[in-house]
Amino acid sequence: MGRSPIPFTDSIDDAIVNRPIVHMVHDSIARLPEVARAVVTLRDVEGLSTAEVAELLDLSEANVRVILHRSRSRIRSEVETKMRAGQI
């Protein structure tokens, strides 16, 4: 299995300089389906472990990992598309 994308919070060092990117990431998170939004928020924003997220949302750890991977990929794709279109 390939490596999971890193959390966006780990890749953005300076929120002030990168404010437009942070705003795009937050907008993308807000557009995720409810469960995916909860997984990303709990895992990447709140910093909970996969096991903690699974327990809170009554999901298997494997399901949390799949949802997280797909959600991160979707967010990254949306941000990259906007950046290529010059929306940043």
Side-chain angles (χ1 to χ4, degrees):
M1 184 185 303
R3 294 184 62 188
S4 298
I6 61 168
F8 288 101
T9 54
D10 291 351
S11 65
I12 298 177
D13 295 326
D14 186 351
I16 294 172
V17 172
N18 295 304
R19 186 169 287 155
I21 295 171
V22 172
H23 184 71
M24 281 191 278
V25 169
H26 284 251
D27 284 348
S28 292
I29 292 170
R31 285 192 298 278
L32 291 171
E34 184 177 349
V35 172
R37 188 173 54 246
V39 167
V40 169
T41 300
L42 291 170
R43 188 74 175 88
D44 289 346
V45 178
E46 299 295 327
L48 273 62
S49 70
T50 300
E52 291 169 321
V53 174
E55 184 176 338
L56 281 171
L57 299 179
D58 196 27
L59 300 168
S60 69
E61 288 185 39
N63 199 7
V64 168
R65 286 189 294 273
V66 168
I67 292 168
L68 186 61
H69 175 75
R70 289 178 181 167
S71 299
R72 286 175 177 167
S73 294
R74 178 175 169 178
I75 293 164
R76 178 175 280 116
S77 177
E78 285 184 17
V79 170
E80 288 174 349
T81 298
K82 288 180 181 182
M83 289 176 73
R84 279 192 298 272
Q87 295 179 4
I88 180 169

